[in-house]
Amino acid sequence: EEFFFESNIPLVVDAGPLTRLDAELAYRFSDYSTSGSVDTYKAALSAAFLDERFRLRTGFNRAIRAPNIGELYLDNQIALWAGDDPCAGPTPEYSPAECARTGVPVDRYGTVAANPASQYNQFIGGNPDLEPEEAETWTFGFTASPIDNLDIAVDYYDIKLENAISTIGARTIMDLCATGQDEMCSLIRRNATTLDLFRGSDPSSSGMVINTNGNFGGRRFRGIDLSGAYGFPLGNGRMSLSFSGNYILEKEYSPVPGDDSATYSCEGLINSSCATPKWRHIASARYSFDRYTVGLRWRHIGEMDYEDVD
């Protein structure tokens, strides 16, 4: 059930070079049967100059995303995650004290078997107790049409997402447990006999890391969008050029609330957690004449460095 209103309010009209100044206001109240009630709202300003050839715009939005059916009710089951058990093998990565936190007694240190396939059990699936994600978005930009048939736009955005619906990640859970977060240690359940994390397929007895959906951590995305379009007559037809690009200033993930040690950035990186070029664009040229059109499209994805995320 929802209630909403939207308004566009003209504040100034035809005041010298200022063609118009408009304000936008919006509010929405949503009540979900699965995740309760939540508010969203928007406030924006737009100023047009010189017969709307130039425009400045800025706005603030509070947005939400309610959990979908899969995130709420996906079957809970044992699945595999690729990686290493840092307490397995004759020379574990973790110290005896750190492994003890993950469920390996000191007297069993160095005796836990490692999976030769580097695959371990995790318990995944939906969570009916999920709450909506919440985001705050700031934008600022301008558009310009300095000559006929030429349009340019540049926008800066800053998005901060909290209460994100996601999983923490099996290895991240283990790392956080080893550093002293007791609530993470409760998600690690080793095989009662062998203490490993890969033998068996019974959720009640198998070794595994519980990695179901939850409202974990947040995201921070900042960047710049650029676009342009220009059309002009050429010969017996018309040439149309367009360009759309995005430059990422920041793409940060915080898997666990209040724990900066697990926070990582993805801009310009590719690895098991990231695939984020700092720059990408699409440029196109199209020539139309009579009943025919010839087009050329260039899609560019910038280079990325491989850098593992701890």
Side-chain angles (χ1 to χ4, degrees), residues 248 251 265-280 299-308:
I248 292 179
K251 194 170 186 179
S265 296
C266 278
E267 60 272 13
L269 301 180
I270 183 169
N271 49 47
S272 60
S273 301
C274 306
T276 308
K278 286 188 175 182
W279 172 256
R280 65 174 66 196
R299 181 186 182 198
H300 173 78
I301 298 175
E303 66 180 13
M304 293 171 279
D305 296 324
Y306 180 82
E307 182 178 314
D308 200 11

Side-chain angles (χ1 to χ4, degrees), residues 6 8 21 29 43 90 118 145 156 167 207 220 238 264 266 281:
E6 300 176 3
N8 192 334
L21 176 66
F29 172 82
S118 296
S145 300
Y156 166 81
T167 59
R220 177 75 181 277
R238 182 174 180 81
Y264 61 92
C266 278
H281 72 251

